[in-house]
Amino acid sequence: MSLTDRPYDVVVWGATGVAGQLVADHLTGQYTPEELSLALGGRNEERLRRVETRLVDGTREWDDLPLVLGDATDPASLRELARSTRVVCTTVGPYTTYGTPLVEACVEAGTDYCDLTGEVTWIREMIDRYHDEAVETGARIVHSCGFDSIPADLGNLLVQSFATDEFDAPCELVRIYLEAGSGGVSGGTMASAVAMYEAASTDPIARQTLRNPYSLAPRGERAGVDPGEQRRPKRDPLRDVWTAPSPMAPVNERVVRRSNAVLGYPWGREFRCSEVVPTGRGLGGAAAASAIAVGLGLGDVAMSIGPVREGLSRFVFPEPGEGPTNAQMDAGHFTVRVFGRGTAPDGPFVVASEISADRDPGYGATAQMLGEAAMCLAREEIDSPVPGGVLTPASGIGAPLAERLREVGLTVAVAEWTDTQSD
Ligand SMILES: NC(=O)c1ccc[n+]([C@@H]2O[C@H](COP(=O)([O-])OP(=O)(O)OC[C@H]3O[C@@H](n4cnc5c(N)ncnc54)[C@H](OP(=O)(O)O)[C@@H]3O)[C@@H](O)[C@H]2O)c1
């Protein structure tokens, strides 16, 4: 079936889960059935029907929503799903466990795809297995369309486009600052973290993926000047603050480096990018940076030990299907700023972007980001020279996503940063 004959624009696959329901809430709240042919997908008809009833009761425009039944472990059902829609928007995770057959089905059918994965070991596997075929079929497989990694990847794209337009030069040094954030966590997210640590404990390629800062670059291009994530407290090279390691750096930095590589190195082969948490000035800033670094280090050690990981999964982490409360989500917010330094003919310059929202980053805002990524794909609002492949938000969609995020209420801004501005 050609893309234009497909019955659906978007299928939200995993619509019964915590993130999937929020994405379906966002899309039915934002668009009408005349604007979007939307279906809900999952493995359990009764649970899907309950979600559909809740959505229909909550809006005036939607009288019903078609259901697409299948199972992540049944490739035939996934092939049918992929052939029924222009875009599959999937929240069925851990992606390491459930994701591969769906990517294969979308690549085969030339169907665009977006997800919420931060599982770098799995993304690398998808690149190695499916990138070339996806280029041939024209499928855009766009990973990491949630809090990891849209603010970092799109924030860098905004900074680079501004620098190129205004100064005729890219930024060779980029710092991503996880400035502020508050929100909850779901069982699905913790299960995905556990799946990635498990992969790393048994699979040498997964371990190598986590060690190499360029592991998501195309094969043959997995080396460069960046040393990898910051692991200790450090003074910042661009701002007068202390910084701590960021828990999202292992994903976001690699995604941004992949964007540079897939786009043909528009920001140079010497492009350096790192993500940190700014903690302020003076002794207080240094102490806070040390506390975060120690906490993250201990967390990493605990998750690397099999029995501890198992104990945390069984007794501490929420179960799959459990998510943050409405109160936690309502109180959530985040700000991610990206600073880039470049050199124009008349001297150095600094550009800064900000992506922020008064919503829980991992759920409320993530649902907006994933939903709008799916809308860009469905409407072919793409600004990228790349025809298809296993891609990132910046290389698979690009600037139109910034426009859509602004329209649904996120702050998305970019400007020159001058010495008169302070932190
Ligand atoms: N990047 C980010 O910022 C971000 C934010 C939030 C979440 N995430 C990621 O998103 C993923 C989902 O998280 P979540 O909290 O929504 O998880 P969840 O609540 O556990 O939802 C998982 C979904 O997968 C479905 N599922 C499980 N096994 C399936 C199978 N065999 N076939 C078809 N469907 C199946 C579940 O269906 P049933 O209801 O039938 O069990 C449910 O709809 C995780 O990987 C998480 O890490 C990322």
Side-chain angles (χ1 to χ4, degrees), residues 14 66 146 164-165 173 179 217 242 251 256 263 265 281-282 351 380 392:
T164 312
D165 290 350
L173 173 68
E179 298 263 340
W242 280 92
V251 187
V256 172
L263 289 169
Y265 297 98
R281 296 186 178 141
V351 174
E380 293 181 36
T392 58

Side-chain angles (χ1 to χ4, degrees), residues 13-20 42-44 47 70-73 91-95 98 116 119 146-148 186 188-189 192 320-321 362-363 366:
W13 178 241
T16 54
V18 175
R43 61 177 165 175
N44 183 301
R47 278 200 288 274
D71 196 295
T73 58
T91 61
V92 173
Y95 295 90
Y98 296 122
L116 287 182
E119 295 156 56
F147 189 48
D148 36 341
S186 71
T189 295
S192 298
Y363 298 91
T366 278

